[in-house]
Amino acid sequence: EKRAAFERQQAMWHDIVKHLAEEFSCPISEVGNLLSTTTNQLEQEARIKDFIQVLAIKQVKDLLSPYHHRPPRHEQRDLTHP
């Protein structure tokens, strides 16, 4: 059971790395290394470890975002125009 849970977690982690690499047009190996390093740093500093993966993903996105231009989520609309 522990082995199956570990394998599921590894597969999920790989999917996250792949998604981030595609989103920011970066090599998978670089995103994986960055995410792993960030996760390890957070684990060493954190007292509560429940949300380390979520925080690590956010930090990696924040680090990569200056290198990626994203279109605005919503177009600006003139609300006064009928």
Side-chain angles (χ1 to χ4, degrees):
E1 185 177 315
K2 285 184 180 183
R3 181 176 171 86
F6 176 77
E7 289 175 0
R8 280 192 305 272
Q9 185 176 1
Q10 290 297 99
M12 182 184 72
W13 198 248
H14 179 72
D15 289 345
I16 291 168
V17 169
K18 184 178 173 185
H19 175 77
L20 289 173
E22 289 172 0
E23 181 179 348
F24 293 99
S25 300
C26 292
I28 290 176
S29 61
E30 287 183 28
V31 174
N33 289 338
L34 186 56
L35 194 55
S36 177
T37 300
T38 303
T39 301
N40 288 336
Q41 288 174 345
L42 288 170
E43 284 177 346
Q44 291 176 0
E45 298 168 4
R47 285 191 245 170
I48 300 171
K49 302 185 186 259
D50 295 340
F51 300 103
I52 287 178
Q53 290 181 344
V54 173
L55 295 171
I57 291 166
K58 181 178 179 345
Q59 282 187 9
V60 168
K61 283 184 172 185
D62 290 346
L63 289 169
L64 294 174
S65 67
Y67 305 103
H68 177 69
H69 174 71
R70 288 186 224 171
R73 287 182 85 147
H74 304 286
E75 292 182 40
Q76 294 281 335
R77 288 188 248 168
D78 183 3
L79 297 177
T80 61
H81 184 68

